[in-house]
Amino acid sequence: MTTRPILTTESGAPVADNQNSQSAGPGGPLLIQDQQLLEKLARFNRERIPERVVHARGSGAFGHFEVTEEVSRFTRAAFLAEPGRRTEVFVRFSTVAGGLGSGDAVRDPRGFAVKFYTEEGNYDLVGNNTPVFFLRDPLKFPDFIHSQKRDPFTGVQEPENVWDFFSHSPEATHQFTWLFGDRGIPASYRHMHGFGSHTYQWVNAEGEAFWVKYHFKSDQGIRTLTAEQAAELHGRDPDSHQRDLHSAIERGLFPSWTLYVQIMPVAEAATYRFNPFDLTKVWPHADHPLVKVGRLTLDRNPDNVFAEVEQAAFSPNNFVPGIGPSPDKMLQGRLFAYGDAHRYRLGVNHTQLPVNAPRATQAANYGRDGAMRADGNGRRARNYEPNSFGGPVETGVPLAAGVELSGVTGSYRNPVHAEDDDFVQAGALYRVMSEAERERLTANIAASLAQVPDDAIVARAVAHFTAADHDYGFRVETAVKALRG
């Protein structure tokens, strides 16, 4: 007969009765001396931490990344050093606008965040399932998210708010074309691509720098849902994408993605035909073909969703030697905002949580104290640097290369390039779609836009689509008029 462990309080004392509260006699009031009752209720009240403002609804899994091609001529990052090198990873997928209790099968971009546990520290690549984004400047991001979230008066998401913000933000036309197209609702997390979206810097051992964009291509292929299929699935199983990912891995159907990068020599950026650091634009493959790097495979589900998915913290500021940031304004804003969000949600010591801690190396710094410090807090070691007592020291070797700067400080819209435009790439995307895809795209947009009562907002939104392609705008306008009667 197996001996079961003894139930204890948080302090380790045995619990005599976990079914009945202590009271003043069989029918009397409860006693404040009942430690088990008070401790259970107090802990229950504190089980939830603040949910993420964006990307609250998410799923995750562990796996590995294996280099299959030689790319060391572009970066000195150790985990990319040679074919055959494997690195443990954790990947979190998510929707953007919905809260923690929202459904999976909704029209929304999907987060695609990868944490590489490398021997030089953790490298976080935080992207989406689209190669572009709605904005190019982080100053607009809080307003954008407010327009997508619940209205402060009605308490629900208002199409008028969504389209009003868009009508004043023409740079979002490209992303809206992605969002309302077929890929706006992936059939599962396994059947969508992932993108770093931003431009990053790679630096090789000789100090030569390159600008790069990441593309994770799903080896399962692309599968999407129509608006009608998504509505049916959402009503039947709000947890559809979480269930699919977990079930596939449990069955041994390990999802994988092949990683490619686009590479641009640093010197080319200044004279490129549009701003290569503009997050609302893609680099055409004809200009910068895809270069294969390796394969990402997910093969293990988390043992505990709260510990390893909800508490997972990704920050695009977590770089390793040979990889660094670019002047992409949205990326620059996120370098601060992501880490700050985690310090608010999880505390200053969130990097000690197992899912966030380095695995192939150890953190060594002078960070001390703070709520929920779970290790020895540096023990007897000095907590300052420089010191004379053998503490960790700097390398003097930058992780990435410096960027040459010029000009006067101030608020600027964008560096000027020959083909900077908010509509060209949205129009190009529309024109490569099949006739059926265009019909679904414009119908999806019209179904949402027709709910907006303000004619001026509708007119401004339609004007953006018309600027991208005349037929695009005409179809949206016609469909909206038909729906509004």
Side-chain angles (χ1 to χ4, degrees):
M1 181 178 177
T2 303
T3 302
R4 296 181 59 175
I6 297 297
L7 177 67
T8 74
T9 64
E10 303 264 339
S11 62
V15 174
D17 190 339
N18 194 44
Q19 314 303 318
N20 304 287
S21 302
Q22 294 182 24
S23 60
L30 301 186
L31 301 179
I32 200 171
Q33 71 180 31
D34 190 343
Q35 180 193 14
Q36 178 67 351
L37 171 65
L38 300 188
E39 186 174 85
K40 284 184 72 175
L41 293 180
R43 183 173 185 85
F44 180 76
N45 286 344
R46 293 162 175 80
E47 281 183 357
R48 297 294 175 262
I49 61 176
E51 69 175 42
R52 292 169 172 85
V53 177
V54 291
H55 297 278
R57 171 69 178 175
S59 304
F62 291 93
H64 64 270
F65 176 77
E66 181 173 356
V67 179
T68 60
E69 314 298 322
E70 175 58 57
V71 293
S72 62
R73 65 190 183 278
F74 300 117
T75 177
R76 61 186 175 92
F79 79 101
L80 299 174
E82 70 276 325
R85 179 74 67 99
R86 277 196 176 195
T87 300
E88 184 181 2
V89 300
F90 178 75
V91 177
R92 185 176 186 269
F93 307 102
S94 56
T95 54
V96 175
L100 187 59
S102 60
D104 289 337
V106 294
R107 187 172 301 281
D108 201 12
R110 301 304 194 274
F112 195 109
V114 186
K115 186 181 293 291
F116 298 85
Y117 298 102
T118 89
E119 60 264 49
E120 297 177 299
N122 290 351
Y123 171 46
D124 290 351
L125 182 58
V126 183
N128 287 321
N129 71 327
T130 59
V132 295
F133 193 64
F134 300 92
L135 308 171
R136 63 172 65 96
D137 194 309
L139 193 63
K140 299 182 69 171
F141 186 75
D143 297 294
F144 164 65
I145 294 300
H146 288 166
S147 75
Q148 309 295 304
K149 290 285 191 176
R150 295 178 183 272
D151 182 85
F153 174 62
T154 66
V156 299
Q157 187 184 53
E158 293 289 351
E160 186 172 39
N161 297 352
V162 173
W163 288 103
D164 184 36
F165 185 88
F166 167 70
S167 73
H168 291 289
S169 305
E171 69 269 30
T173 306
H174 193 185
Q175 175 73 319
F176 265 66
T177 305
W178 277 91
L179 179 61
F180 283 90
D182 284 356
R183 297 196 185 185
I185 314 179
S188 79
Y189 290 131
R190 296 182 296 129
H191 295 95
M192 68 182 194
H193 294 335
F195 301 89
S197 301
H198 297 288
T199 301
Y200 292 91
Q201 186 195 76
W202 276 8
V203 182
N204 65 21
E206 288 71 42
E208 186 181 11
F210 305 86
W211 301 124
V212 300
K213 282 185 175 289
Y214 294 87
H215 300 249
F216 290 90
K217 300 290 188 178
S218 171
D219 295 328
Q220 293 72 235
I222 294 292
R223 293 183 188 174
T224 62
L225 301 172
T226 65
E228 295 75 20
Q229 290 171 329
E232 189 276 331
L233 179 59
H234 183 273
R236 176 165 47 85
D237 183 8
D239 302 316
S240 56
H241 289 37
Q242 162 67 19
R243 195 181 311 280
D244 174 86
L245 179 66
H246 183 273
S247 175
I249 293 174
E250 288 296 292
R251 299 196 316 271
L253 301 177
F254 302 142
S256 65
W257 290 260
T258 299
L259 173 62
Y260 299 85
V261 293
Q262 290 179 282
I263 298 175
M264 177 188 291
V266 163
E268 185 181 331
T271 56
Y272 193 53
R273 52 200 174 96
F274 58 82
N275 178 15
F277 310 116
D278 183 344
L279 186 55
T280 69
K281 292 182 173 63
V282 298
W283 297 356
H285 291 183
D287 293 349
H288 300 93
L290 296 178
V291 176
K292 189 176 179 180
V293 179
R295 175 166 289 128
L296 170 71
T297 303
L298 300 181
D299 55 17
R300 180 168 70 85
N301 281 313
D303 290 325
N304 185 278
V305 172
F306 178 82
E308 297 176 310
V309 179
E310 184 62 18
Q311 293 193 123
F314 297 83
S315 174
N317 210 12
N318 289 339
F319 294 111
V320 293
I323 303 178
S326 78
D328 178 336
K329 288 184 178 181
M330 280 297 298
L331 174 60
Q332 290 285 318
R334 284 170 168 161
L335 296 181
F336 162 75
Y338 275 64
D340 188 58
H342 303 319
R343 284 184 283 271
Y344 163 68
R345 291 185 63 246
L346 303 170
V348 71
N349 289 310
H350 68 273
T351 53
Q352 293 183 44
L353 297 170
V355 71
N356 299 322
R359 298 193 173 193
T361 185
Q362 289 186 337
N365 54 56
Y366 296 93
R368 297 290 189 272
D369 308 338
M372 302 303 295
R373 187 79 195 194
D375 62 3
N377 199 33
R379 297 181 172 83
R380 300 183 183 187
R382 304 312 203 269
N383 64 343
Y384 59 88
E385 199 278 331
N387 66 58
S388 305
F389 302 96
V393 295
E394 63 196 21
T395 67
V397 181
L399 300 186
V403 178
E404 186 175 344
L405 304 174
S406 65
V408 179
T409 60
S411 297
Y412 296 96
R413 294 195 65 180
N414 240 351
V416 177
H417 292 246
E419 296 183 21
D420 283 332
D421 184 280
D422 289 329
F423 307 110
V424 168
Q425 292 199 354
L429 177 59
Y430 176 79
R431 288 186 290 276
V432 299
M433 293 179 178
S434 68
E435 177 62 24
E437 289 173 327
R438 294 182 193 178
E439 286 291 339
R440 289 191 292 270
L441 166 66
T442 53
N444 291 334
I445 292 174
S448 178
L449 189 55
Q451 300 177 60
V452 178
D454 190 317
D455 290 339
I457 294 175
V458 174
R460 285 196 302 268
V462 169
H464 295 338
F465 298 123
T466 303
D469 185 279
H470 185 271
D471 179 68
Y472 188 4
F474 175 77
R475 291 197 196 195
V476 171
E477 183 177 29
T478 302
V480 169
K481 288 180 178 178
L483 290 171
R484 296 175 77 182

